[in-house]
PDB file of all heavy atoms in Angstrom:
ATOM      1  N   ALA A 106      21.479  -3.722  16.228  1.00  0.00           N
ATOM      2  CA  ALA A 106      21.765  -5.128  16.724  1.00  0.00           C
ATOM      3  C   ALA A 106      22.554  -5.101  17.948  1.00  0.00           C
ATOM      4  O   ALA A 106      22.337  -5.912  18.877  1.00  0.00           O
ATOM      5  CB  ALA A 106      22.384  -5.930  15.638  1.00  0.00           C
ATOM      6  N   SER A 107      23.450  -4.134  18.089  1.00  0.00           N
ATOM      7  CA  SER A 107      24.285  -4.037  19.292  1.00  0.00           C
ATOM      8  C   SER A 107      23.685  -3.286  20.499  1.00  0.00           C
ATOM      9  O   SER A 107      24.147  -3.371  21.570  1.00  0.00           O
ATOM     10  CB  SER A 107      25.652  -3.420  18.956  1.00  0.00           C
ATOM     11  OG  SER A 107      25.441  -2.064  18.665  1.00  0.00           O
ATOM     12  N   GLY A 108      22.588  -2.570  20.142  1.00  0.00           N
ATOM     13  CA  GLY A 108      21.938  -1.794  21.177  1.00  0.00           C
ATOM     14  C   GLY A 108      22.680  -0.453  21.446  1.00  0.00           C
ATOM     15  O   GLY A 108      22.376   0.170  22.509  1.00  0.00           O
ATOM     16  N   SER A 109      23.557   0.001  20.601  1.00  0.00           N
ATOM     17  CA  SER A 109      24.195   1.247  20.736  1.00  0.00           C
ATOM     18  C   SER A 109      24.134   2.057  19.450  1.00  0.00           C
ATOM     19  O   SER A 109      24.881   1.834  18.505  1.00  0.00           O
ATOM     20  CB  SER A 109      25.704   1.044  21.146  1.00  0.00           C
ATOM     21  OG  SER A 109      26.360   2.202  21.291  1.00  0.00           O
ATOM     22  N   PHE A 110      23.131   2.915  19.409  1.00  0.00           N
ATOM     23  CA  PHE A 110      22.877   3.680  18.173  1.00  0.00           C
ATOM     24  C   PHE A 110      22.768   5.180  18.410  1.00  0.00           C
ATOM     25  O   PHE A 110      22.689   5.649  19.562  1.00  0.00           O
ATOM     26  CB  PHE A 110      21.549   3.156  17.521  1.00  0.00           C
ATOM     27  CG  PHE A 110      20.495   2.811  18.523  1.00  0.00           C
ATOM     28  CD1 PHE A 110      19.685   3.818  19.059  1.00  0.00           C
ATOM     29  CD2 PHE A 110      20.306   1.529  18.985  1.00  0.00           C
ATOM     30  CE1 PHE A 110      18.704   3.557  19.977  1.00  0.00           C
ATOM     31  CE2 PHE A 110      19.300   1.244  19.945  1.00  0.00           C
ATOM     32  CZ  PHE A 110      18.475   2.214  20.409  1.00  0.00           C
ATOM     33  N   PRO A 111      22.809   5.965  17.335  1.00  0.00           N
ATOM     34  CA  PRO A 111      22.743   7.453  17.474  1.00  0.00           C
ATOM     35  C   PRO A 111      21.340   7.881  17.861  1.00  0.00           C
ATOM     36  O   PRO A 111      20.418   7.100  17.921  1.00  0.00           O
ATOM     37  CB  PRO A 111      23.169   7.938  16.127  1.00  0.00           C
ATOM     38  CG  PRO A 111      22.629   6.869  15.200  1.00  0.00           C
ATOM     39  CD  PRO A 111      22.799   5.562  15.911  1.00  0.00           C
ATOM     40  N   ASP A 112      21.230   9.172  18.073  1.00  0.00           N
ATOM     41  CA  ASP A 112      19.917   9.765  18.338  1.00  0.00           C
ATOM     42  C   ASP A 112      19.177  10.149  16.996  1.00  0.00           C
ATOM     43  O   ASP A 112      17.946  10.056  16.920  1.00  0.00           O
ATOM     44  CB  ASP A 112      20.005  11.004  19.151  1.00  0.00           C
ATOM     45  CG  ASP A 112      20.665  10.673  20.523  1.00  0.00           C
ATOM     46  OD1 ASP A 112      20.001  10.128  21.348  1.00  0.00           O
ATOM     47  OD2 ASP A 112      21.857  11.054  20.735  1.00  0.00           O
ATOM     48  N   ILE A 113      19.982  10.484  15.987  1.00  0.00           N
ATOM     49  CA  ILE A 113      19.416  10.877  14.668  1.00  0.00           C
ATOM     50  C   ILE A 113      20.387  10.291  13.601  1.00  0.00           C
ATOM     51  O   ILE A 113      21.593  10.354  13.768  1.00  0.00           O
ATOM     52  CB  ILE A 113      19.380  12.372  14.512  1.00  0.00           C
ATOM     53  CG1 ILE A 113      18.581  13.079  15.680  1.00  0.00           C
ATOM     54  CG2 ILE A 113      18.699  12.793  13.208  1.00  0.00           C
ATOM     55  CD1 ILE A 113      18.707  14.570  15.726  1.00  0.00           C
ATOM     56  N   ALA A 114      19.796   9.771  12.515  1.00  0.00           N
ATOM     57  CA  ALA A 114      20.601   9.368  11.345  1.00  0.00           C
ATOM     58  C   ALA A 114      19.956   9.647  10.095  1.00  0.00           C
ATOM     59  O   ALA A 114      18.689   9.715   9.999  1.00  0.00           O
ATOM     60  CB  ALA A 114      20.860   7.840  11.429  1.00  0.00           C
ATOM     61  N   TYR A 115      20.734   9.983   9.081  1.00  0.00           N
ATOM     62  CA  TYR A 115      20.226  10.281   7.716  1.00  0.00           C
ATOM     63  C   TYR A 115      19.972   8.950   7.017  1.00  0.00           C
ATOM     64  O   TYR A 115      20.921   8.196   6.655  1.00  0.00           O
ATOM     65  CB  TYR A 115      21.325  11.063   6.974  1.00  0.00           C
ATOM     66  CG  TYR A 115      20.919  11.542   5.574  1.00  0.00           C
ATOM     67  CD1 TYR A 115      20.292  12.801   5.524  1.00  0.00           C
ATOM     68  CD2 TYR A 115      21.136  10.772   4.510  1.00  0.00           C
ATOM     69  CE1 TYR A 115      19.903  13.266   4.210  1.00  0.00           C
ATOM     70  CE2 TYR A 115      20.737  11.244   3.222  1.00  0.00           C
ATOM     71  CZ  TYR A 115      20.152  12.496   3.078  1.00  0.00           C
ATOM     72  OH  TYR A 115      19.787  12.930   1.839  1.00  0.00           O
ATOM     73  N   ILE A 116      18.718   8.653   6.859  1.00  0.00           N
ATOM     74  CA  ILE A 116      18.310   7.331   6.255  1.00  0.00           C
ATOM     75  C   ILE A 116      17.688   7.589   4.951  1.00  0.00           C
ATOM     76  O   ILE A 116      16.753   8.343   4.852  1.00  0.00           O
ATOM     77  CB  ILE A 116      17.291   6.610   7.234  1.00  0.00           C
ATOM     78  CG1 ILE A 116      17.920   6.368   8.606  1.00  0.00           C
ATOM     79  CG2 ILE A 116      16.899   5.290   6.579  1.00  0.00           C
ATOM     80  CD1 ILE A 116      19.103   5.398   8.605  1.00  0.00           C
ATOM     81  N   PHE A 117      18.082   6.883   3.912  1.00  0.00           N
ATOM     82  CA  PHE A 117      17.400   6.956   2.596  1.00  0.00           C
ATOM     83  C   PHE A 117      15.946   6.591   2.719  1.00  0.00           C
ATOM     84  O   PHE A 117      15.620   5.601   3.468  1.00  0.00           O
ATOM     85  CB  PHE A 117      18.078   6.075   1.573  1.00  0.00           C
ATOM     86  CG  PHE A 117      19.459   6.434   1.163  1.00  0.00           C
ATOM     87  CD1 PHE A 117      20.391   5.492   0.658  1.00  0.00           C
ATOM     88  CD2 PHE A 117      19.903   7.766   1.227  1.00  0.00           C
ATOM     89  CE1 PHE A 117      21.643   5.851   0.267  1.00  0.00           C
ATOM     90  CE2 PHE A 117      21.124   8.156   0.827  1.00  0.00           C
ATOM     91  CZ  PHE A 117      22.001   7.164   0.331  1.00  0.00           C
ATOM     92  N   GLY A 118      15.088   7.243   2.026  1.00  0.00           N
ATOM     93  CA  GLY A 118      13.649   6.990   2.122  1.00  0.00           C
ATOM     94  C   GLY A 118      13.314   5.562   1.772  1.00  0.00           C
ATOM     95  O   GLY A 118      12.353   4.969   2.333  1.00  0.00           O
ATOM     96  N   SER A 119      14.039   5.016   0.794  1.00  0.00           N
ATOM     97  CA  SER A 119      13.752   3.651   0.354  1.00  0.00           C
ATOM     98  C   SER A 119      14.128   2.593   1.394  1.00  0.00           C
ATOM     99  O   SER A 119      13.716   1.471   1.307  1.00  0.00           O
ATOM    100  CB  SER A 119      14.557   3.377  -0.934  1.00  0.00           C
ATOM    101  OG  SER A 119      15.913   3.743  -0.857  1.00  0.00           O
ATOM    102  N   ASP A 120      14.891   3.078   2.424  1.00  0.00           N
ATOM    103  CA  ASP A 120      15.276   2.103   3.505  1.00  0.00           C
ATOM    104  C   ASP A 120      14.422   2.265   4.782  1.00  0.00           C
ATOM    105  O   ASP A 120      14.558   1.463   5.725  1.00  0.00           O
ATOM    106  CB  ASP A 120      16.722   2.271   3.877  1.00  0.00           C
ATOM    107  CG  ASP A 120      17.683   1.942   2.817  1.00  0.00           C
ATOM    108  OD1 ASP A 120      17.349   1.001   2.054  1.00  0.00           O
ATOM    109  OD2 ASP A 120      18.795   2.539   2.714  1.00  0.00           O
ATOM    110  N   LEU A 121      13.614   3.299   4.822  1.00  0.00           N
ATOM    111  CA  LEU A 121      12.884   3.673   6.060  1.00  0.00           C
ATOM    112  C   LEU A 121      12.016   2.547   6.537  1.00  0.00           C
ATOM    113  O   LEU A 121      11.927   2.257   7.760  1.00  0.00           O
ATOM    114  CB  LEU A 121      12.143   5.001   5.879  1.00  0.00           C
ATOM    115  CG  LEU A 121      11.350   5.403   7.154  1.00  0.00           C
ATOM    116  CD1 LEU A 121      12.369   5.680   8.338  1.00  0.00           C
ATOM    117  CD2 LEU A 121      10.541   6.632   6.849  1.00  0.00           C
ATOM    118  N   ALA A 122      11.224   1.882   5.662  1.00  0.00           N
ATOM    119  CA  ALA A 122      10.355   0.844   6.138  1.00  0.00           C
ATOM    120  C   ALA A 122      11.007  -0.249   6.827  1.00  0.00           C
ATOM    121  O   ALA A 122      10.497  -0.730   7.868  1.00  0.00           O
ATOM    122  CB  ALA A 122       9.519   0.321   4.911  1.00  0.00           C
ATOM    123  N   SER A 123      12.119  -0.630   6.334  1.00  0.00           N
ATOM    124  CA  SER A 123      12.939  -1.689   7.038  1.00  0.00           C
ATOM    125  C   SER A 123      13.435  -1.207   8.343  1.00  0.00           C
ATOM    126  O   SER A 123      13.416  -1.891   9.341  1.00  0.00           O
ATOM    127  CB  SER A 123      14.047  -2.192   6.159  1.00  0.00           C
ATOM    128  OG  SER A 123      13.573  -2.799   4.953  1.00  0.00           O
ATOM    129  N   VAL A 124      14.028   0.026   8.322  1.00  0.00           N
ATOM    130  CA  VAL A 124      14.576   0.568   9.625  1.00  0.00           C
ATOM    131  C   VAL A 124      13.504   0.757  10.687  1.00  0.00           C
ATOM    132  O   VAL A 124      13.622   0.457  11.846  1.00  0.00           O
ATOM    133  CB  VAL A 124      15.293   1.901   9.383  1.00  0.00           C
ATOM    134  CG1 VAL A 124      15.775   2.512  10.655  1.00  0.00           C
ATOM    135  CG2 VAL A 124      16.500   1.673   8.418  1.00  0.00           C
ATOM    136  N   ALA A 125      12.299   1.218  10.235  1.00  0.00           N
ATOM    137  CA  ALA A 125      11.184   1.520  11.138  1.00  0.00           C
ATOM    138  C   ALA A 125      10.641   0.293  11.792  1.00  0.00           C
ATOM    139  O   ALA A 125       9.795   0.442  12.678  1.00  0.00           O
ATOM    140  CB  ALA A 125      10.187   2.345  10.431  1.00  0.00           C
ATOM    141  N   ARG A 126      11.006  -0.903  11.373  1.00  0.00           N
ATOM    142  CA  ARG A 126      10.513  -2.069  12.010  1.00  0.00           C
ATOM    143  C   ARG A 126      11.121  -2.233  13.415  1.00  0.00           C
ATOM    144  O   ARG A 126      10.585  -2.961  14.276  1.00  0.00           O
ATOM    145  CB  ARG A 126      10.810  -3.326  11.181  1.00  0.00           C
ATOM    146  CG  ARG A 126      10.131  -3.374   9.810  1.00  0.00           C
ATOM    147  CD  ARG A 126      10.717  -4.270   8.874  1.00  0.00           C
ATOM    148  NE  ARG A 126      10.603  -5.655   9.333  1.00  0.00           N
ATOM    149  CZ  ARG A 126      11.225  -6.718   8.792  1.00  0.00           C
ATOM    150  NH1 ARG A 126      12.073  -6.474   7.839  1.00  0.00           N
ATOM    151  NH2 ARG A 126      11.079  -7.898   9.253  1.00  0.00           N
ATOM    152  N   SER A 127      12.166  -1.511  13.651  1.00  0.00           N
ATOM    153  CA  SER A 127      12.792  -1.575  14.941  1.00  0.00           C
ATOM    154  C   SER A 127      11.933  -0.726  15.957  1.00  0.00           C
ATOM    155  O   SER A 127      11.606   0.418  15.669  1.00  0.00           O
ATOM    156  CB  SER A 127      14.250  -0.982  14.926  1.00  0.00           C
ATOM    157  OG  SER A 127      14.692  -0.781  16.235  1.00  0.00           O
ATOM    158  N   PRO A 128      11.667  -1.253  17.157  1.00  0.00           N
ATOM    159  CA  PRO A 128      10.953  -0.442  18.124  1.00  0.00           C
ATOM    160  C   PRO A 128      11.768   0.743  18.685  1.00  0.00           C
ATOM    161  O   PRO A 128      11.193   1.564  19.415  1.00  0.00           O
ATOM    162  CB  PRO A 128      10.633  -1.418  19.276  1.00  0.00           C
ATOM    163  CG  PRO A 128      11.721  -2.550  19.081  1.00  0.00           C
ATOM    164  CD  PRO A 128      11.982  -2.601  17.641  1.00  0.00           C
ATOM    165  N   SER A 129      13.018   0.805  18.315  1.00  0.00           N
ATOM    166  CA  SER A 129      13.861   1.887  18.772  1.00  0.00           C
ATOM    167  C   SER A 129      13.688   3.142  17.874  1.00  0.00           C
ATOM    168  O   SER A 129      14.276   4.227  18.221  1.00  0.00           O
ATOM    169  CB  SER A 129      15.330   1.485  18.768  1.00  0.00           C
ATOM    170  OG  SER A 129      15.535   0.518  19.723  1.00  0.00           O
ATOM    171  N   VAL A 130      12.935   3.084  16.789  1.00  0.00           N
ATOM    172  CA  VAL A 130      12.665   4.240  15.982  1.00  0.00           C
ATOM    173  C   VAL A 130      11.501   4.973  16.582  1.00  0.00           C
ATOM    174  O   VAL A 130      10.437   4.411  16.847  1.00  0.00           O
ATOM    175  CB  VAL A 130      12.403   3.765  14.505  1.00  0.00           C
ATOM    176  CG1 VAL A 130      11.939   4.998  13.683  1.00  0.00           C
ATOM    177  CG2 VAL A 130      13.592   3.126  13.841  1.00  0.00           C
ATOM    178  N   VAL A 131      11.714   6.226  16.717  1.00  0.00           N
ATOM    179  CA  VAL A 131      10.663   7.101  17.398  1.00  0.00           C
ATOM    180  C   VAL A 131       9.593   7.552  16.412  1.00  0.00           C
ATOM    181  O   VAL A 131       9.821   7.890  15.235  1.00  0.00           O
ATOM    182  CB  VAL A 131      11.412   8.383  17.942  1.00  0.00           C
ATOM    183  CG1 VAL A 131      10.308   9.328  18.565  1.00  0.00           C
ATOM    184  CG2 VAL A 131      12.428   7.996  19.005  1.00  0.00           C
ATOM    185  N   ASP A 132       8.342   7.468  16.866  1.00  0.00           N
ATOM    186  CA  ASP A 132       7.121   7.980  16.136  1.00  0.00           C
ATOM    187  C   ASP A 132       7.178   9.502  16.182  1.00  0.00           C
ATOM    188  O   ASP A 132       7.089  10.043  17.318  1.00  0.00           O
ATOM    189  CB  ASP A 132       5.870   7.390  16.769  1.00  0.00           C
ATOM    190  CG  ASP A 132       4.628   7.763  15.992  1.00  0.00           C
ATOM    191  OD1 ASP A 132       4.709   8.663  15.072  1.00  0.00           O
ATOM    192  OD2 ASP A 132       3.551   7.257  16.249  1.00  0.00           O
ATOM    193  N   LEU A 133       7.249  10.161  15.050  1.00  0.00           N
ATOM    194  CA  LEU A 133       7.351  11.631  15.017  1.00  0.00           C
ATOM    195  C   LEU A 133       6.037  12.277  14.571  1.00  0.00           C
ATOM    196  O   LEU A 133       6.012  13.394  14.213  1.00  0.00           O
ATOM    197  CB  LEU A 133       8.469  12.058  14.091  1.00  0.00           C
ATOM    198  CG  LEU A 133       9.906  11.691  14.499  1.00  0.00           C
ATOM    199  CD1 LEU A 133      10.934  12.255  13.493  1.00  0.00           C
ATOM    200  CD2 LEU A 133      10.245  12.250  15.927  1.00  0.00           C
ATOM    201  N   SER A 134       4.951  11.491  14.638  1.00  0.00           N
ATOM    202  CA  SER A 134       3.661  12.007  14.125  1.00  0.00           C
ATOM    203  C   SER A 134       3.236  13.289  14.797  1.00  0.00           C
ATOM    204  O   SER A 134       2.971  14.369  14.149  1.00  0.00           O
ATOM    205  CB  SER A 134       2.552  10.983  14.298  1.00  0.00           C
ATOM    206  OG  SER A 134       2.842   9.787  13.580  1.00  0.00           O
ATOM    207  N   GLU A 135       3.302  13.369  16.129  1.00  0.00           N
ATOM    208  CA  GLU A 135       2.928  14.543  16.844  1.00  0.00           C
ATOM    209  C   GLU A 135       3.937  15.648  16.643  1.00  0.00           C
ATOM    210  O   GLU A 135       3.564  16.854  16.503  1.00  0.00           O
ATOM    211  CB  GLU A 135       2.724  14.218  18.309  1.00  0.00           C
ATOM    212  CG  GLU A 135       2.321  15.414  19.203  1.00  0.00           C
ATOM    213  CD  GLU A 135       0.974  15.983  18.711  1.00  0.00           C
ATOM    214  OE1 GLU A 135       0.132  15.254  18.184  1.00  0.00           O
ATOM    215  OE2 GLU A 135       0.753  17.197  18.957  1.00  0.00           O
TER     216      GLU A 135
END
Side-chain angles (χ1 to χ4, degrees):
S107 69
S109 180
F110 39 81
D112 299 288
I113 307 169
Y115 185 90
I116 302 293
F117 291 155
S119 49
D120 292 330
L121 180 61
S123 295
V124 175
R126 294 165 65 192
S127 167
S129 294
V130 173
V131 175
D132 183 350
L133 295 182
S134 299
E135 181 59 28

